[in-house]
């Protein structure tokens, strides 16, 4: 007589084994099942309030000239910059960063046009404050757009002279404050310029004007399209004697520490995408409001790939801006600010 085990006993052992194998208490996929649950547990959220929109302001009226290497970005005369700011405000953008493009004949060895009250940046600040009073206005403080040689400072032979440059930068910052800028953003990387700017602003009773310093600005190939847009490529040499070596991160922390000591309110890392580790360390070590600049070349490479149909621009943009925010940036300066603000709303 053959005995067959009862069916339940027969399958009990393999079923237990199978159960043990698949009885996962933790199933991360539970939190990815629907848009609602993914949105619920998302750790990094993009907010329009965190975005800063750079604008290139030129002379003239009714000028809206697209930058070939930066599709969607234009050189704008003051009236057009005001219109663009108003349109950005409707998209939810709250801050703009202004770069000035003087006429070629107004460029000279010391960048005299940089602290001219009638120059494009100063005029645009006044006009934007008039027409879009809720908009935070940040101004770029540097000399490279204003010097005939395209360097960020005063040169002696092939040397960019630090201390003479710092004096000029402080005057430029005060001139932006006089026009009504809320925040000045020195992008030159001279030593001691944050302290000199702070002192000059305070002396001129602009103690409430904040400084967003390009504290860790790397010597990057990704500024190429910007130099087309701003006509600010150096006529000789490069920017390696003041901008940082991409290989260094400890040095970035020293730069940030110095700028904070000198009175910086917001510290910036630039570029963004290849420097996420720098952003993360700066945020972690100092806990200061930290900005990251998604620069012209980073924008241009996304645009170029999207235009070739090689990637989905909206998705790529969201991913990039999310990654920069996830790394620790509180503030993202980006030519995508309008699109990103619309997306984030
Ligand atoms: C000027 C300045 C540059 C950028 C911001 N301010 C270019 C440079 O240092 O050559 C780059 C911005 C961008 O690439 O989007 N000092
Ligand atoms: Zn410069």
């Amino acid at each position: 007589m053959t005995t067959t085990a009862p069916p339940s006993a027969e399958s009990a052992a393999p079923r237990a084994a199978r159960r043990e194998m698949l009885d996962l208490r933790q199933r991360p996929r539970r939190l990815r099942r629907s848009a609602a649950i993914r949105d619920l547990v998302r750790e990094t959220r993009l907010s329009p309030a965190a975005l800063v929109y750079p604008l290139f302001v030129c002379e003239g009226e009714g000028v809206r000239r697209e930058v070939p290497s930066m599709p969607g970005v234009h050189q704008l005369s003051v009236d057009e910059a005001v219109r663009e700011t108003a349109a950005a405000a409707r998209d939810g953008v709250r801050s703009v960063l202004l770069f000035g493009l003087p006429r070629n004949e107004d460029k000279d060895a010391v960048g005299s046009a940089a602290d001219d009250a009638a120059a494009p940046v100063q005029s645009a600040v006044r006009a934007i404050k008039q027409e879009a009073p809720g908009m935070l206005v940040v101004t770029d403080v540097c000399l490279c757009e204003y010097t005939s040689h395209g360097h960020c400072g005063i040169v002696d032979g092939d040397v960019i002279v630090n201390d003479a440059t710092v004096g000029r930068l402080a005057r430029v910052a005060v001139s932006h404050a006089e026009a009504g800028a809320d925040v000045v953003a020195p992008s030159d990387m001279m030593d001691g310029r944050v302290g000199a700017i702070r002192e000059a602003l305070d002396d001129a009773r602009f103690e409430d004007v904040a400084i967003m310093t390009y504290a860790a600005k790397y010597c990057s190939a990704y500024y190429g399209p910007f130099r087309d847009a701003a006509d600010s490529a150096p006529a000789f040499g490069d920017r390696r004697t003041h901008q940082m070596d991409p290989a260094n991160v400890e040095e970035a922390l020293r730069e940030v520490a110095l700028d904070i000591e000198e009175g910086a309110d917001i510290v910036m890392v630039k570029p963004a995408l290849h420097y996420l580790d720098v952003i993360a360390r700066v945020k972690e070590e100092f806990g200061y409001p930290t900005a990251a600049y998604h620069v012209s070349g980073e924008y241009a490479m996304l645009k170029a790939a999207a235009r070739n149909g090689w990637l989905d621009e909206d998705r790529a943009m969201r991913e990039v801006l999310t990654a920069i925010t996830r790394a620790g940036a509180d503030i993202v300066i980006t030519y995508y600010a309008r699109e990103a603000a619309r997306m984030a709303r």
Side-chain angles (χ1 to χ4, degrees):
M1 202 156 98
T2 54
T3 51
T4 41
S8 57
E10 180 189 51
S11 49
R15 208 193 302 128
R18 197 165 55 239
R19 236 188 101 70
E20 200 169 310
M21 200 165 65
L22 291 180
D23 183 18
L24 302 171
R25 297 279 166 105
Q26 284 297 342
R27 289 179 181 267
R29 289 186 59 192
R30 282 182 200 124
L31 302 184
R32 300 177 197 142
R33 293 179 65 226
S34 66
I37 203 159
R38 288 192 295 273
D39 290 352
L40 185 71
V41 302
R42 180 159 302 125
E43 298 173 37
T44 305
R45 295 177 203 276
L46 296 176
S47 159
L51 299 166
V52 179
Y53 184 33
L55 297 176
F56 297 103
V57 189
C58 64
E59 299 275 359
E61 223 188 292
V63 181
R64 192 178 171 82
R65 204 180 301 120
E66 191 166 51
V67 179
S69 51
M70 300 176 74
V73 174
H74 301 80
Q75 298 178 342
L76 305 165
S77 52
V78 171
D79 56 323
E80 288 292 325
V82 170
R83 283 179 52 179
E84 184 66 21
T85 301
R90 287 193 292 277
D91 290 333
V93 173
R94 310 274 299 277
S95 311
V96 291
L97 167 60
L98 305 182
F99 292 94
L101 313 176
R103 275 184 294 256
N104 259 331
E105 58 265 35
D106 293 336
K107 299 189 181 194
D108 61 22
V110 296
S112 302
D115 56 332
D116 177 350
V121 163
Q122 288 82 346
S123 307
V125 172
R126 287 190 299 269
I128 289 168
K129 280 292 164 189
Q130 181 90 34
E131 305 295 324
M135 187 63 75
L136 187 86
V137 179
V138 187
T139 56
D140 180 79
V141 174
C142 199
L143 298 181
C144 53
E145 295 115 74
Y146 301 91
T147 50
S148 39
H149 43 70
H151 278 294
C152 302
I154 291 166
V155 298
D156 181 9
D158 59 359
V159 173
I160 300 157
V161 184
N162 194 89
D163 299 9
T165 301
V166 165
R168 287 279 307 127
L169 293 168
R171 275 199 296 286
V172 173
V174 169
S175 140
H176 292 176
E178 282 167 347
D182 299 293
V183 181
V184 293
S187 65
D188 53 284
M189 289 295 280
M190 296 301 123
D191 296 331
R193 93 281 207 214
V194 171
I197 289 171
R198 185 70 271 158
E199 196 180 319
L201 288 173
D202 291 352
D203 285 350
R205 306 306 315 267
F206 292 115
E207 49 277 280
D208 291 333
V209 170
I211 301 176
M212 175 163 77
T213 171
Y214 291 65
K217 179 177 179 178
Y218 287 87
C219 190
S220 171
Y222 291 85
Y223 307 148
F226 174 97
R227 293 177 192 172
D228 290 346
D231 187 25
S232 64
F236 58 89
D238 53 41
R239 305 217 201 285
R240 275 176 234 225
T241 66
H242 48 107
Q243 298 181 349
M244 281 187 54
D245 182 338
N248 299 352
V249 60
E250 301 300 337
E251 186 188 356
L253 302 180
R254 293 199 295 275
E255 282 280 9
V256 170
L258 282 171
D259 283 5
I260 289 174
E261 210 170 285
E262 291 176 30
D265 302 283
I266 300 170
V267 295
M268 192 203 300
V269 173
K270 176 187 176 189
L273 211 40
H274 299 309
Y275 299 87
L276 295 179
D277 57 323
V278 183
I279 296 170
R281 290 202 51 193
V282 166
K283 182 62 190 176
E284 199 177 295
E285 303 220 3
F286 299 96
Y288 259 66
T290 302
Y293 199 142
H294 184 243
V295 302
S296 57
E298 300 178 272
Y299 175 83
M301 66 184 183
L302 264 187
K303 279 284 172 192
R307 293 211 156 183
N308 275 307
W310 292 342
L311 51 71
D312 177 329
E313 186 174 12
D314 281 352
R315 286 189 58 202
M317 170 186 74
R318 184 192 290 270
E319 189 172 334
V320 165
L321 300 180
T322 299
I324 295 167
T325 307
R326 191 197 62 230
D330 307 294
I331 300 163
V332 184
I333 303 167
T334 174
Y335 302 99
Y336 275 122
R338 288 188 62 184
E339 293 85 339
R342 282 199 297 271
M343 190 185 69
R345 292 223 282 193

